[in-house]
Each structure stands twice: as C-alpha cells, then as structure tokens.
Amino acid sequence: MNSDINGDTANKYLTFILATEEYAIDILRVQEIKGWSKVTQIPNTPSYICGVINLRGTIVPIVDLRLRFNLDFQTYGSMTVVVVVNVISSNNKERIMGVVVDGVSDVYDVTETEIKPPPDFGSVISTEFVKGLTTVSDKMVIVLDIDKLLNSDELAIIDGLS
Amino acid sequence: MTIDLTQVRGLFFEESFENLDIMESSLLDLEIETFDEELINNIFRAAHSIKGGAGIFQLDDIVTFAHNAETLLDEIREKKHTISQTLIDLLLGVGDILRMMLLASKDEVTYDAEKVQICQNELQRILAKPVSEEIPDDIVQTEIEVPDETEKLVVKKWHIEFKPELEILKTGNDPINLFGELQELGELEVEVNVDEIPNFVDIDPQLCYLTWELILHTSATQSDIEEIFEWVIDECELDITEFNSDSSKNIKVNTENQERTEIVENTTPEIENLPDIPAPENITEKPIIKDVANKHIQSNTDSIRVGIDKIDNLINIVGELVITQSMLDQIGENFNSSDICQLQDGLAQLERNTRELQENIMRIRMLPISFSFNRFPRLVHDLSTQLGKKVELVLSGENTELDKTVLEKMSDPLVHLVRNSLDHGIELPEQRKQASKPEVGRLHLNAFHQGGSVVIQITDDGAGFDTEKIRNKAVQKGWITSEEVITEEQLHEFIFQPGFSTSEEVSDLSGRGVGMDVVRRNIRDLGGSIEVKSTVGEGSRFTIRLPLTLAILDGQLVRVGKEIFVLPLLSIIESLRVQNSLVNSFTGAVEIYKLRDDYIPILRLYKIFELEDTITKLEQGLLVIAEGDGQKIGLFVDELLSQQQIVIKNLENNYKKVQGVSGATILGTGNVALILDVTGLIQLFKNKTKSPTHLPLGAIRYE
C-alpha cells in the first residue's frame, strides 16, 4: 500500500453499513465478500466472536462487528454479509478473518490527506480502532484500522513461544 | 530410440540407499558367533543389487568395490568366516564407503579415494585368509598388504559361448555389462558373431541378433562365471567349458577401457555398413549415457515413498468422484425441478468426494517416524562402542505419523539429543555397577500423539544432570547470583541457553549443552517445544512436542447439542451409558462416577462450553471415559457419531489457542468441528469447579 509514501495518492476503500453508520476499510485488505454460512462456535469466547467457518479448507474466525461495537444484535440470515479480510498482526503474521456487517455499501477513492484524525468523542467504539474520519459526498465515513481492530483484546495473538 | 537413463538413475540411487539401509539394519541385527542365514542373505542381496545397478550406470569403482564386499559376503554365506564383531564393523564400514561413493556419484563430485582403498585393503585381507582359519578379533591393523590372489591361484582358460535370445534387451539386460563383469575375473577376449543379423529391412532394432564367443583367463571357478550370467540364464544359451591348453599363451594386457571400446568396435562396424539405420540400442546407448550423465546435474527432486494402501485409497476416491460427476452430468442433461433432490444429493456427494480426496492427498505427506528412528540403532551401536558404554536402545511408537517436512527437520535435533544422552547421560559400565544399576544402560525413544501434538521422548537411565555444576556454570556466566535460590527446573532451563556449553571447566558435563540452544530453536521453528526432566542418578528425559499442523488423527465424533466435536481416539478409554446409582456428588461441585474401582469426575461438556439445547439428564446421554496426562475424566456427551480419520487444521493460524481445544477439522459436510484436547479440558474443568475463594492466581485467566 502506497499511502505512506505519498499522502496524496488516492486509495480505494470499501465501505459497509453498521446500524446507521458507514465504515470504510482499505479495499486491498478485503479478500472476498460472502454470504452468511453456518459457523461452529468456539467455547468460552466473547459473544462478538461468532465462531469459525471453513473457507475452502482454511479455518476462519468470524467476528460480529455489531457486537464488537456494542450495538444491538441482529439475527443472521440470508442477507447477512461477511467481509473476509487479511489482517496483519503485531508479529507480522497474516491472518484471515471474517467480519459480519449489515451490508456493504460502496467503494470510494480517498486520499490520505482527506482522512482527518477523529475527535475524542464518546462513541461506542474506542477511537483506537479508528484511523480517521472522512467525508464522501457529504456523508461522514469512519475509516477503520482493521489491523488494530482485529488484534485487540480477545483477538490478540498471544505469542506461542513461552 | 534410447532409454532416458536419467530418470532411472535417480531411482537407482534411491534404491541403493534403501538397500544400504537394509544392509545396515541387518548387520546390526546379526549376532556374533551365530549364523542367521536369512539376515546374511538379506545383506548379500542388498550388496548385489547395488553392484548390479552400478554396473548399468557404469560406476565402475562402485562395482569393483561392491564386488569385493559381495565376495566376502558370499564366503560368509558359505560359512567360511565366523561372524565376529570385527567382521560386522568391517561390513558396516563397507556400507558407509558405498554410501559415500554413491552420494559422490549422485552429486557428481569426487570422494575420498583413500578411504575406499583402506577399506578395500581390509576386505582383501580378510578375503585372503585361508578358509579354515578363523579371524581373531584383535588383529585389526596387523597386515594390510594386499596379496594378489591371482598370483597364488592357477589361472585357467575358459571358453564361453553366449547366445542370448533375441528378446534379451527387452528384459533390461545388456551383454556389455556382463562382459564388464567377466573382465573383473581375468583377461577376457571377446569375439562377436554377426551371422544372425538379418537383412536390413527385417531388422528390428529392439532385438539382439548377436552371439558371442568369449575366452576368459581367470582363476575363478565355473560357478563364479555362472553367477555373472545368473540374471540372464533364462534368456540365453550358455556354454562354459574349460580349456586344458596352456593358459599363459594368449595373455595380453588390456586396460579395462581399451577392452570395452574393443567390444564396441567389434560390434559396431557391421551395423555401420548399413547406412541410416537406427542402430540397435545396446550399441548406441553407451556414448549416450555418458553424455546424459555429464548433463545430469544434481537435481533436487525429493521423492516420497507412499504405501500402496494410501494410493489405492486415492484411486478409490477418484473413482467415486468420476461416478459422482457422471451422475451430475445425467441430472443436468434434462433438468427439471423435480430432480432438485437428486441434484442436492449429488452435490453433497461431490463435496464429500473432493474433501476426501484432499484429505487423502495430505495423508501422503505423512510418514511414520520410524524413518527417522531407524537410523538410531546404528548411531547407538557406533557411539557406544566408541565410548566403551553398553547401551540398549528401545524404540517405540515408530508408527506415529508426522509430516515429512517436520520429520526431516527433526532429524538433526534428535540425533543431537541421542548423542548427548549417550555421551553424558549414560555412565560407563563400572560406574553403573557402582551405582547398583544394570551394566547396560537403557535409551528409550518413544513417539506418540498427545493432546493434539506429536510427542517424542528421549529417556535415558543415566546419571541425570549434575545440578551443582549447572549452577556453578550459571553463576559464572552471570545468569544468576550465587545466593539466588532457584528451582531445579529453572536450573535445567540453563542447558538451553546459548553459550552454556562452551566452557571446558565443566568436565564430564561439558557438551551437555552443546547446541542445545540450536536444538530448541529448531524445534521452536517448527512450532514445537522441548522440555527436560532430570533426576540425579536416575536419568533424564527430554520431551519434544510438535504441533500437528498437518497431522492425521483417528477421531471419534461426538455430538453435544447442535455442535459436533472430535475426540482423539487415542485418548478415549471407553464409552458407557450412565447408571444414576453410580453417580455421587463430591463437595457439591463435582459429580463423581464410580466405574469399577475408579472414581471418575464427570465433566459435562455442555456446561463447560456453555452450549444450549443439549441433553442434561445424565442417563439420557453417554459418558466417554477419556484420559489426559494420566488423569481420567468422564466427558458427558449427547451421543457418539462415527469414527474417522481427520486432518487437523490449526486454529491458531487465523485465531489463537483455545483452552480445551487442540485444533479444528472439516467434516464431510464441510462444517468445522473442534478437536477436543482432554488434558486442556481437565485443566479448564479444574479451574471452573474450584470455588472462587480458593482460586489460585494463575487460574483467573481461564475464567
């Protein structure tokens, strides 16, 4: 991703809807978008981890973003969308994860300079996952830092080497 | 039309190395002073195959060397030598030299010819011994001079008529090789008879129209000559007669190469007279091999030997796949909505087939750990002789399957650990006697699946670690202060520290840590761990745990509510229906089931995993008695489903370790099922049932 080299390069972002808000993630991190399929629950995990699915032979954990952001739970159905993303963790390991969202919305070009740091607001989501805010055709879009989001708390990789 | 020998070449080396392995293990099984015909024949056959193969590829030095070894083996077979330790060691040495030569030819590099010569001399020396004389064990280095056998024995002249059948080349035999072997016995004169060659138009280039008359001057016996023709005896007419005339008359000195070209020259002109004919392959083959051999640069095509059952299984699955495909084809041809059920069935079947295919192909990569273990008898044999120790090596769990890559990478660390145990663990026989231990030390290599890992244990009953010395060393290195109180386990940890071993002061312990840090790093690179337990005077045990990233496991599927879990079959002891009268409550928190003489705690899986819609009444479900880390536990499940081999998928790749779960697998339906880890479950259970007031600090993280 070239965003670090030149702040004016436009990157493509995929946006999705959660409750009423629109969130954006770097499109290069999106591996695929698929419908809801049955998950296998993992015991003793926080409620926002729905479980794991079999994605062509790979075991992929699914995270419900609504629950992660403490929004109301919405039952899964044929309209539920899972965005499969590549996450890079602290030790540079690449992981594949799925996030459950209400629906995908659009793809925007956003330059690095258009992303403004978020104000310290009393939102339901901790601002540490938010890369910034941007405005696309008069709508505010929250740009998420997917790496931070999916490496926080319970999702963090505990270094296996003890 | 030529045969591409490069392909066969690889196979030859592979086979030769296998033969060497057979030779080695048979040699190690040989017992002194006893005559085990089966084993000796095994060794003989192995050596003979190597020689034969080497002949085809014109690895003359190997042929010569192997031939000598073979002669010795033959004599052993005829009970001309008694089996002594010297003899076994010599033959082991021969195996090593052959391996070295083969490796050198494979990679097309040169080898240490001196070593070969020394070994060769040794062979000759033993061969030269008068038949009846026994070789005492102690005269190893006395006379190395090579007596020239031929000088002592009477050289006879043999007349050999060799008329191969037309089809002989198709059986893979090449007369030139035979002549080459004959030549080793003595001077050889070859005359080719070309009368049988038909008219040009009738020539089939794959047939051999030539017959030969050979005159051989040799001291060898008729049976020696016959033996050379052993492989072709069914495909030729052979007549071997002895000349009584003066044998010295016809002797002319030829070097091997001159002789060889002579053979070729003898045969080629006849054919070259006929222009533009594809020459028979036996004649053109020769220069081409050389060409190819030169081009043959070390090709690193690793191969894997797969059990025929695995292949058969694959073929079966592919067969099923084809059937499914044609079934779907048929449905698709005239599709109407009433066929939808059939279509669904077909698709489900297709999915299952594909999945099975995938799993079975992954199984091909799995090799039993015996591939790695098998080299240890030799290592232990050599090292214990060298160190003057008596060691009995016990191997168990050789059939535990491991991924080929993991296996290969584990080889060196294992060798290192075994070496260490022998070198520093097991004491000298006298010391052992003094410690009132059996004189023969015991080294146990064990492998098994446990809790979702492959565990390899190396146990010796030696002296154990000298904690005092480790401590001193650690203090000296500045890792701890001399006052610091640390546990024994922590002390043992130091041996894994880089630089621990570099000291010479730690006399009998030096080397205990040589490269132990490297061993640990290698194992960690594979995602495994190594730990050590040691008791002074009783021995030590290294336990290596390797992840099952690709491993296969026999699993029992169990259902709890809507979820399906997999229990490793190895951890299950039995399954039973609960009799309510045998269930007791213990301190109000734990239910205990009385099974014969045991009291087994009941772990309700649905409770620990917080599952809904499950059977909660004990008598309606099933109790699976499982064992983890030596502790038994009764797992309460709704029902038992099928047993099957499962491919373990790693949860940590994309998620992280989950307590009580060692991994996941994909079921025939395509759904994910979690694999239960009994040891982890017991831990989880213990922590959950402990009353909060007594909760130890460390347990909080499981809450």
Side-chain angles (χ1 to χ4, degrees):
Chain A
M1 273 125 291
N2 47 11
S3 53
D4 293 0
I5 305 159
N6 188 344
D8 287 313
T9 323
N11 290 321
K12 286 199 186 306
Y13 285 83
L14 175 83
T15 64
F16 53 82
I17 308 289
L18 217 51
T20 50
E21 289 153 359
E22 194 167 2
Y23 294 85
I25 52 174
D26 186 347
I27 202 161
L28 291 174
R29 291 303 184 77
V30 178
Q31 188 182 312
E32 63 187 90
I33 298 165
K34 64 193 291 298
W36 174 255
S37 57
K38 188 185 172 292
V39 295
T40 301
Q41 287 175 32
I42 306 176
N44 302 312
T45 45
S47 59
Y48 58 79
I49 295 169
C50 308
V52 285
I53 59 158
N54 162 26
L55 187 74
R56 294 181 296 277
T58 323
I59 311 282
V60 176
I62 304 292
V63 176
D64 188 331
L65 272 196
R66 271 184 165 262
L67 296 176
R68 182 75 188 90
F69 293 162
N70 289 322
L71 301 167
D72 296 334
F73 174 74
Q74 209 170 45
T75 33
Y76 308 122
S78 53
M79 296 306 288
T80 309
V81 173
V82 178
V83 183
V84 180
V85 289
N86 272 313
V87 183
I88 295 168
S89 2
S90 48
N91 54 357
N92 253 344
K93 208 182 118 184
E94 223 172 272
R95 298 197 285 178
I96 299 168
M97 287 189 167
V99 286
V100 178
V101 297
D102 290 358
V104 286
S105 164
D106 214 334
V107 176
Y108 299 127
D109 286 322
V110 181
T111 60
E112 203 68 6
T113 45
E114 284 170 355
I115 301 175
K116 306 281 180 258
D120 195 3
F121 52 101
S123 159
V124 282
I125 54 165
S126 161
T127 46
E128 63 176 304
F129 312 137
V130 177
K131 196 172 162 191
L133 303 173
T134 191
T135 307
V136 182
S137 48
D138 294 338
K139 269 186 305 181
M140 190 194 76
V141 174
I142 305 165
V143 184
L144 287 175
D145 185 333
I146 199 88
D147 290 340
K148 278 192 185 145
L149 174 65
L150 295 180
N151 277 310
S152 56
D153 300 345
E154 269 299 302
L155 293 166
I157 289 185
I158 295 158
D159 207 339
L161 307 178
S162 56
Chain B
M1 203 203 107
T2 52
I3 304 168
D4 183 6
L5 276 167
T6 39
Q7 288 176 7
V8 196
R9 207 177 141 94
L11 208 63
F12 157 67
F13 284 115
E14 201 169 296
E15 237 173 56
S16 296
F17 290 127
E18 254 165 47
N19 276 320
L20 282 176
D21 288 343
I22 293 172
M23 229 173 112
E24 199 174 284
S25 63
S26 305
L27 277 171
L28 290 170
D29 286 345
L30 271 184
E31 275 167 46
I32 296 165
E33 308 285 334
T34 51
F35 183 80
D36 187 330
E37 194 170 358
E38 184 60 34
L39 282 175
I40 291 168
N41 279 335
N42 270 348
I43 301 168
F44 184 82
R45 271 195 296 271
H48 192 76
S49 309
I50 293 172
K51 184 180 103 173
I56 295 174
F57 295 97
Q58 327 220 319
L59 305 166
D60 297 332
D61 43 353
I62 297 180
V63 174
T64 323
F65 186 76
H67 180 74
N68 278 323
E70 202 185 299
T71 319
L72 174 62
L73 285 165
D74 200 30
E75 285 183 15
I76 296 173
R77 201 157 65 160
E78 285 157 17
K79 301 195 186 176
K80 287 185 188 164
H81 299 275
T82 39
I83 298 182
S84 61
Q85 192 58 47
T86 334
L87 197 63
I88 293 178
D89 287 345
L90 172 68
L91 286 170
L92 282 173
V94 166
D96 290 342
I97 299 279
L98 277 176
R99 193 180 295 269
M100 178 183 85
M101 290 168 99
L102 282 165
L103 271 174
S105 328
K106 185 182 170 203
D107 302 344
E108 313 216 335
V109 292
T110 50
Y111 53 82
D112 189 350
E114 204 177 314
K115 275 190 194 163
V116 179
Q117 198 51 47
I118 292 171
C119 195
Q120 184 115 329
N121 290 345
E122 192 70 13
L123 271 176
Q124 299 279 14
R125 192 178 62 77
I126 289 194
L127 280 175
K129 287 279 160 199
V131 167
S132 55
E133 197 183 305
E134 211 175 289
I135 320 138
D137 277 9
D138 46 348
I139 55 140
V140 186
Q141 294 290 338
T142 42
E143 37 162 333
I144 287 194
E145 202 193 327
V146 195
D148 192 346
E149 283 173 276
T150 47
E151 267 176 21
K152 287 183 188 165
L153 298 155
V154 190
V155 177
K156 289 180 196 161
K157 187 174 167 192
W158 297 86
H159 179 253
I160 305 165
E161 261 188 72
F162 176 52
K163 289 185 185 165
E165 285 178 9
L166 289 175
E167 305 272 321
I168 188 166
L169 298 171
K170 292 187 181 170
T171 63
N173 289 300
D174 186 342
I176 290 176
N177 291 324
L178 297 172
F179 302 157
E181 281 192 59
L182 279 174
Q183 209 171 16
E184 282 164 24
L185 296 176
E187 312 293 340
L188 183 71
E189 292 167 40
V190 185
E191 210 168 289
V192 70
N193 183 353
V194 295
D195 298 345
E196 305 282 325
I197 295 183
N199 287 332
F200 170 53
V201 282
D202 299 328
I203 283 187
D204 179 345
Q206 297 198 24
L207 299 180
C208 175
Y209 298 102
L210 306 174
T211 58
W212 285 271
E213 269 183 56
L214 308 139
I215 293 170
L216 179 68
H217 304 270
T218 177
S219 57
T221 62
Q222 180 158 356
S223 62
D224 285 338
I225 301 172
E226 277 169 358
E227 195 196 307
I228 289 174
F229 290 97
E230 207 179 331
W231 297 100
V232 293
I233 199 84
D234 295 334
E235 283 105 31
C236 73
E237 278 176 47
L238 187 69
D239 185 26
I240 303 174
T241 46
E242 188 185 336
F243 273 110
N244 289 322
S245 58
D246 181 17
S247 57
S248 60
K249 212 166 149 187
N250 277 324
I251 290 179
K252 46 175 186 170
V253 184
N254 270 327
T255 67
E256 219 170 86
N257 281 337
Q258 280 170 329
E259 184 78 358
R260 282 198 173 216
T261 43
E262 208 175 287
I263 303 167
V264 177
E265 276 161 16
N266 273 345
T267 47
T268 35
E270 297 302 324
I271 292 152
E272 276 167 2
N273 286 343
L274 311 160
D276 299 323
I277 309 177
E281 64 193 39
N282 63 324
I283 290 151
T284 44
E285 194 177 85
K286 221 175 121 97
I288 282 166
I289 302 166
K290 287 216 168 124
D291 197 12
V292 171
N294 289 338
K295 273 188 223 150
H296 173 90
I297 301 160
Q298 187 186 358
S299 58
N300 243 344
T301 45
D302 264 358
S303 66
I304 193 166
R305 286 209 156 214
V306 181
I308 197 87
D309 57 323
K310 289 185 181 175
I311 300 281
D312 282 348
N313 215 345
L314 273 180
I315 291 170
N316 273 341
I317 294 166
V318 172
E320 270 180 58
L321 193 67
V322 172
I323 295 169
T324 313
Q325 188 262 332
S326 62
M327 175 183 140
L328 287 172
D329 232 23
Q330 220 166 26
I331 297 170
E333 216 147 89
N334 282 313
F335 190 76
N336 65 58
S337 54
S338 62
D339 289 338
I340 199 109
C341 269
Q342 255 183 304
L343 180 67
Q344 275 169 341
D345 284 352
L347 287 173
Q349 201 174 322
L350 180 69
E351 183 171 3
R352 200 175 57 239
N353 290 152
T354 326
R355 194 78 55 200
E356 272 177 26
L357 193 62
Q358 180 204 354
E359 286 174 10
N360 275 278
I361 285 176
M362 294 199 24
R363 273 190 67 200
I364 287 184
R365 277 192 66 84
M366 310 291 292
L367 287 177
I369 201 161
S370 56
F371 277 81
S372 181
F373 275 10
N374 282 348
R375 63 200 281 194
F376 289 116
R378 174 71 194 277
L379 183 82
V380 171
H381 168 93
D382 285 1
L383 264 181
S384 55
T385 323
Q386 197 186 323
L387 296 165
K389 292 177 180 177
K390 292 185 178 168
V391 183
E392 179 200 6
L393 176 72
V394 185
L395 300 176
S396 55
E398 295 112 306
N399 287 328
T400 312
E401 287 198 326
L402 252 180
D403 182 73
K404 184 169 186 277
T405 326
V406 178
L407 196 66
E408 278 165 0
K409 291 202 174 130
M410 273 315 294
S411 243
D412 287 340
L414 279 180
V415 168
H416 195 90
L417 290 170
V418 167
R419 208 182 268 270
N420 265 355
S421 283
L422 281 177
D423 203 359
H424 309 289
I426 290 170
E427 315 92 322
L428 290 165
E430 304 87 65
Q431 286 170 334
R432 292 184 64 89
K433 258 192 206 161
Q434 276 167 16
S436 58
K437 286 202 256 187
E439 223 175 273
V440 180
R442 212 178 117 99
L443 182 67
H444 186 184
L445 284 180
N446 188 18
F448 54 93
H449 285 282
Q450 190 199 49
S453 341
V454 175
V455 180
I456 304 171
Q457 282 180 333
I458 298 139
T459 317
D460 68 60
D461 64 349
F465 296 158
D466 190 333
T467 38
E468 201 47 48
K469 282 187 175 154
I470 300 178
R471 198 189 163 85
N472 290 342
K473 182 71 200 161
V475 172
Q476 189 193 327
K477 284 264 170 191
W479 291 329
I480 50 166
T481 61
S482 50
E483 294 84 36
E484 213 171 317
V485 182
I486 56 168
T487 63
E488 210 154 277
E489 282 78 46
Q490 281 169 312
L491 268 179
H492 293 159
E493 273 297 299
F494 286 129
I495 67 161
F496 294 111
Q497 291 294 328
F500 173 79
S501 58
T502 47
S503 154
E504 292 90 322
E505 293 103 84
V506 193
S507 55
D508 69 317
L509 214 99
S510 72
R512 242 308 178 187
V514 175
M516 283 307 271
D517 60 316
V518 181
V519 170
R520 173 175 270 195
R521 191 169 349 116
N522 281 355
I523 292 169
R524 281 189 172 168
D525 284 348
L526 291 170
S529 68
I530 178 168
E531 51 194 79
V532 60
K533 251 190 193 149
S534 171
T535 319
V536 177
E538 282 175 29
S540 34
R541 162 180 290 172
F542 287 90
T543 307
I544 300 167
R545 263 167 222 279
L546 294 168
L548 282 183
T549 325
L550 271 164
I552 302 277
L553 179 92
D554 278 315
Q556 166 73 57
L557 305 190
V558 299
R559 189 177 61 82
V560 184
K562 284 180 197 144
E563 297 290 328
I564 292 170
F565 295 99
V566 181
L567 261 170
L569 212 52
L570 271 176
S571 58
I572 299 180
I573 299 167
E574 60 184 299
S575 305
L576 44 93
R577 239 183 221 296
V578 180
Q579 268 177 280
N580 261 337
S581 55
L582 296 173
V583 180
N584 292 294
S585 167
F586 175 68
T587 65
V590 190
E591 291 163 298
I592 301 281
Y593 191 78
K594 184 171 185 299
L595 178 69
R596 293 180 286 272
D597 291 336
D598 271 345
Y599 290 99
I600 294 167
I602 297 177
L603 185 157
R604 293 179 185 232
L605 273 179
Y606 70 88
K607 256 193 192 166
I608 211 150
F609 284 168
E610 288 157 8
L611 298 172
E612 285 154 15
D613 303 331
T614 68
I615 295 173
T616 51
K617 287 194 178 123
L618 281 178
E619 65 274 15
Q620 285 171 0
L622 282 171
L623 201 59
V624 180
I625 312 292
E627 191 173 0
D629 242 359
Q631 199 179 348
K632 285 183 189 165
I633 194 147
L635 302 174
F636 180 67
V637 301
D638 287 11
E639 78 173 314
L640 292 184
L641 303 171
S642 64
Q643 281 175 13
Q644 62 183 61
Q645 286 221 314
I646 52 158
V647 177
I648 294 150
K649 301 270 180 181
N650 193 319
L651 262 186
E652 285 126 88
N653 270 352
N654 290 319
Y655 187 52
K656 60 175 192 171
K657 184 131 186 66
V658 178
Q659 174 88 353
V661 172
S662 63
T665 190
I666 294 159
L667 298 177
T669 54
N671 282 336
V672 180
L674 299 178
I675 303 165
L676 300 179
D677 165 19
V678 178
T679 318
L681 277 176
I682 293 173
Q683 274 296 326
L684 193 65
F685 183 57
K686 279 182 184 165
N687 294 328
K688 281 218 170 182
T689 48
K690 265 176 195 148
S691 59
T693 43
H694 298 123
L695 201 66
L697 274 173
I700 283 170
R701 60 198 169 104
Y702 299 123
E703 285 299 287

